[in-house]
Amino acid sequence: MTTIPSLIRSQQTAEEILEPTPMMKLRRRVFKNHSFLIGALTLIFIITIAVLAPFIAPHDPYDQDLSRRLINPFWHDKKTADLYVFGTDKVGRDYLSRVIYGAQISLLIGFLTVLISGVIGTALGVIAGYFGGRVDMVVNFIINTRLAMPVFLVAMAAVVAFGASIHVVIMVLGLFLWDRFAVVMRSITMQARDLDYVSAARAIGCSTPYIIIREIFPNVLSSLTVVATVEMANAILLEAALSFLGFGVQAPTPSWGLMLNEGREYMFFSPWLLALPGTGLFLLVLAINLFGDGLRDVTLERER
Amino acid sequence: MIVYTIKRIFVAFLILLVVSGLTFSLSHLSADPALTIAGEQASDEDIEAVRKLYGFDKPVVEQYFNWLSSALQGDLGKSYHYKAPVVEMISGRIGTTMTLGFLAILFALVVSIPLGTIAAMRPNSIIDRFALLLAVFGQALPTFWFALMMIILFGVWLRWLPISGNTSWAHFVMPTIALGYYATPALMRLTRAGMIEVLSSDYIRTAKAKGLLPVSVLFKHALRNAIIPVVALAAVWFGFMLGGSIVIETIFNLKGIGWLSYDALLRSDLPVVQAIVLIFASFYVILTLFADLLNAYLDPRISVR
């Protein structure tokens, strides 16, 4: 005979069986989060285009021919549409190919900059948050000093000092854009430091580097990714602006910012020379931001 | 509070010292400045004479302290290219940049505060979603590209606005929007978050229960409290905008100090660049100091930490 307490118990187990696993919950949140999905899909799309550029691009992006300069894109000129969909630039390079290869440059700069700045910022932030006290004070001072420097102006000055090239731009941006990493990592590490299992690790005699890498670091990983998307978008925009002013990537590299610079003198008669690379830039940054925002929502809910 | 203020001012000075030191060493790592001044065709003796005249033959540390001591006396050196005192070159142009920065932050506040407030009153409504969408799009729009697109649309196709120069108020319309919109997403989100928090607080419920007009509750009770951190953030953004003015002033040919720094960098005119970095950094430091003190005044717990 079933008693009432055993009925309740069996009901509980039934609920427990129906309880979705954490993985299922995460999957459900991911598919409910539209901005994450749109951002991620657009980002994957752009990355695919960038990686497969040599196969997708109809022409060589560096191939010049003055006899076919400034051909109009397909919406102006039906005749040339088959050969040059987006027309050609001032020295006759196929604009579609250049826009496609431009994604490579922006993504490359975004990834490498975030790699450098992420390492610097995370190291500083984790150290400051874990040790606190004087170490924290010194790191805080470094962060504030960095924030006081006008990034764009100092980056331009650095490019003048070391010469304009894609390497210099990546190095300069990487050495500048670590502040957000440091600030966020610092506060999260501070919270994680006092968690029970971190104290436990300390109690059983684990070394400090071991605790930081094995116990604290996994905790900050999701926030790290979110900050990385913000800084990547930032780096891409800064590179474009630097190249636009002539203090970044140099010709003939197909950087979207540089293409905007080259197209500027024809803006009155061929505005599409500006519209196309700018749209690429806008879509890429939008995708990264949506992806980052969505990721934050998805992972924050888990932590709640 | 006084101890906190003194401490913050001391740190602010220290920051400026380090920033100026870093900029100085950076600009002295670059190609030989004597060569820039003497020109491409100069003989070796000429270059040597220039080097002696400007003190480039001395150690960099000594040069830095010489520059610093005269900078503290209000002398930021002479432009290599224009041979004019840097202070004069900057003071003649800083008005344009300040006007632009001020108008831009005003534009950002005028757009973001009402939008953020309306969004907060009806979370998840159509207006809220629209505001959020606007913020997401605004954040992804490259400033300089937006400026160029505006020039094509309003300057060339519609011919509503002038596209270059700074002789009338109409010249400032597009630069203001181009520079200001970038701050709106951050300010709007902060207004929205602050308002949502304030609107759910007890004293708002009390005010509503007392039968006060909704308008009065919204403006006198809620907005007044939610807006202070927004003003603090706007102060910090004003500092960022001075940096952003480089691109905008160059595009619209507004000859403020942003344009001047671009021009100086093209000519490797180091004293001008150093001075402008120092000015931008000072502005940022002063504005964050103001924001910190404002927050500490409102929340005394901050100054104890």
Side-chain angles (χ1 to χ4, degrees):
Chain A
M1 216 183 113
T2 49
T3 54
I4 292 170
S6 75
L7 249 179
I8 292 171
R9 205 176 299 131
S10 68
Q11 244 178 352
Q12 274 172 339
T13 41
E15 259 170 32
E16 268 165 31
I17 294 164
L18 288 175
E19 174 84 2
T21 62
M23 203 55 218
M24 278 163 71
K25 278 187 189 166
L26 186 69
R27 203 178 300 145
R28 200 174 295 170
R29 269 200 304 275
V30 165
F31 282 101
K32 254 171 58 188
N33 193 318
H34 296 299
S35 80
F36 179 80
L37 277 182
I38 297 171
L41 288 178
T42 318
L43 200 56
I44 291 170
F45 175 70
I46 296 176
I47 292 175
T48 313
I49 284 182
V51 172
L52 298 180
F55 306 105
I56 296 172
H59 299 268
D60 180 353
Y62 297 101
D63 189 17
Q64 301 183 10
D65 184 352
L66 286 175
S67 67
R68 48 157 208 253
R69 67 197 291 269
L70 291 174
I71 292 175
N72 283 328
F74 68 90
W75 58 87
H76 280 303
D77 209 340
K78 292 277 184 293
K79 279 178 292 181
T80 53
D82 312 330
L83 260 178
Y84 305 102
V85 179
F86 281 176
T88 57
D89 70 0
K90 62 174 175 183
V91 285
R93 293 173 296 204
D94 177 44
Y95 220 53
L96 175 63
S97 304
R98 286 183 75 72
V99 170
I100 289 173
Y101 272 89
Q104 266 186 358
I105 303 292
S106 280
L107 283 168
L108 189 71
I109 284 172
F111 274 123
L112 292 179
T113 301
V114 165
L115 207 62
I116 299 170
S117 61
V119 169
I120 299 173
T122 309
L124 280 172
V126 170
I127 288 169
Y130 187 78
F131 293 104
R134 290 198 177 196
V135 179
D136 186 31
M137 241 172 70
V138 172
V139 172
N140 240 333
F141 181 77
I142 300 176
I143 293 174
N144 279 317
T145 307
R146 151 59 201 89
L147 284 172
M149 297 175 91
V151 180
F152 196 67
L153 186 51
V154 180
M156 280 166 82
V159 168
V160 171
F162 299 110
S165 76
I166 190 164
H167 308 282
V168 172
V169 171
I170 291 170
M171 275 314 284
V172 169
L173 292 179
L175 290 174
F176 267 113
L177 300 178
W178 49 263
D179 52 295
R180 208 176 263 116
F181 282 107
V183 171
V184 174
M185 288 305 115
R186 175 176 165 271
S187 71
I188 295 176
T189 310
M190 267 178 178
Q191 289 160 14
R193 186 181 54 180
D194 301 326
L195 291 175
D196 283 343
Y197 63 83
V198 178
S199 310
R202 212 176 293 136
I204 61 168
C206 295
S207 67
T208 309
Y210 180 88
I211 295 175
I212 290 180
I213 294 170
R214 294 299 298 272
E215 306 287 342
I216 299 213
F217 199 69
N219 259 293
V220 301
L221 213 59
S222 63
S223 310
L224 193 69
T225 321
V226 174
V227 177
T229 59
V230 175
E231 285 308 334
M232 192 172 156
N234 208 352
I236 289 171
L237 286 177
L238 277 173
E239 179 274 322
L242 283 172
S243 301
F244 172 70
L245 287 185
F247 290 86
V249 177
Q250 296 297 301
T253 313
S255 144
W256 285 336
L258 188 63
M259 287 161 76
L260 287 168
N261 176 11
E262 290 164 349
R264 208 182 151 192
E265 49 186 311
Y266 304 97
M267 69 188 284
F268 302 120
F269 303 109
S270 312
W272 45 271
L273 282 176
L274 295 181
L276 291 171
T279 308
L281 205 51
F282 172 68
L283 285 179
L284 177 57
V285 175
L286 185 69
I288 295 173
N289 285 347
L290 285 175
F291 176 72
D293 280 357
L295 193 68
R296 191 189 51 211
D297 294 342
V298 171
T299 52
L300 268 185
E301 261 178 65
R302 191 178 55 193
E303 277 155 21
R304 232 180 256 153
Chain B
M1 184 76 199
I2 293 172
V3 177
Y4 177 76
T5 312
I6 292 170
K7 238 198 242 165
R8 285 289 290 108
I9 291 174
F10 175 72
V11 172
F13 267 108
L14 217 57
I15 288 174
L16 284 183
L17 200 68
V18 175
V19 170
S20 68
L22 284 175
T23 335
F24 196 88
S25 40
L26 178 68
S27 54
H28 282 257
L29 280 173
S30 63
D32 193 352
L35 202 69
T36 316
I37 301 165
E40 303 246 317
Q41 292 90 20
S43 65
D44 286 352
E45 292 97 69
D46 289 345
I47 294 172
E48 202 51 48
V50 168
R51 199 168 283 150
K52 278 232 164 62
L53 184 68
Y54 282 85
F56 295 140
D57 51 344
K58 292 179 187 138
V60 175
V61 180
E62 196 186 329
Q63 287 184 49
Y64 172 63
F65 281 106
N66 286 340
W67 175 80
L68 191 67
S69 69
S70 49
L72 287 173
Q73 290 161 36
D75 175 17
L76 289 168
K78 267 187 180 175
S79 155
Y80 294 162
H81 182 78
Y82 297 101
K83 315 286 182 219
V86 174
V87 174
E88 275 176 30
M89 289 170 67
I90 289 175
S91 60
R93 301 184 184 281
I94 202 161
T96 307
T97 303
M98 286 295 136
T99 313
L100 177 62
F102 185 72
L103 287 173
I105 201 73
L106 202 68
F107 169 80
L109 286 172
V110 165
V111 172
S112 56
I113 290 177
L115 216 56
T117 309
I118 297 169
M121 281 160 67
R122 303 238 185 295
N124 285 322
S125 65
I126 292 178
I127 295 177
D128 187 24
R129 300 209 164 200
F130 172 74
L132 208 67
L133 197 73
L134 212 65
V136 169
F137 273 73
Q139 250 165 357
L141 204 55
T143 315
F144 62 102
W145 185 61
F146 182 47
L148 293 170
M149 291 293 114
M150 275 202 290
I151 290 180
I152 292 176
L153 182 62
F154 297 115
V156 181
W157 289 352
L158 299 172
R159 297 191 179 277
W160 286 352
L161 292 162
I163 58 173
S164 138
N166 55 343
T167 43
S168 77
W169 64 268
H171 286 93
F172 279 94
V173 176
M174 283 199 282
T176 298
I177 297 173
L179 192 57
Y181 88 89
Y182 202 57
T184 48
L187 293 173
M188 197 205 73
R189 281 171 196 222
L190 194 65
T191 312
R192 180 179 175 276
M195 280 301 274
I196 285 179
E197 200 190 321
V198 169
L199 284 174
S200 64
S201 62
D202 288 339
Y203 70 90
I204 293 295
R205 204 183 47 201
T206 312
K208 276 186 193 158
K210 278 199 305 188
L212 291 180
L213 284 173
V215 178
S216 148
V217 174
L218 190 65
F219 286 99
K220 277 200 180 152
H221 293 74
L223 195 57
R224 200 192 255 180
N225 281 296
I227 212 172
I228 293 159
V230 179
V231 172
L233 183 68
V236 178
W237 265 98
F238 184 74
F240 287 141
M241 280 185 176
L242 295 179
S245 66
I246 299 172
V247 189
I248 297 299
E249 285 180 12
T250 309
I251 290 176
F252 289 100
N253 214 14
L254 275 177
K255 297 195 171 165
I257 54 176
W259 177 85
L260 183 65
S261 59
Y262 169 76
D263 181 67
L265 278 163
L266 281 182
R267 303 174 199 281
S268 301
D269 201 343
L270 300 176
V272 181
V273 178
Q274 269 162 33
I276 295 175
V277 170
L278 196 63
I279 287 173
F280 283 170
S282 310
F283 259 103
Y284 178 81
V285 167
I286 292 167
L287 291 167
T288 35
L289 186 66
F290 163 75
D292 282 357
L293 293 180
L294 189 68
N295 283 328
Y297 172 73
L298 292 167
D299 185 356
R301 284 172 302 179
I302 294 175
S303 58
V304 182
R305 245 181 259 151

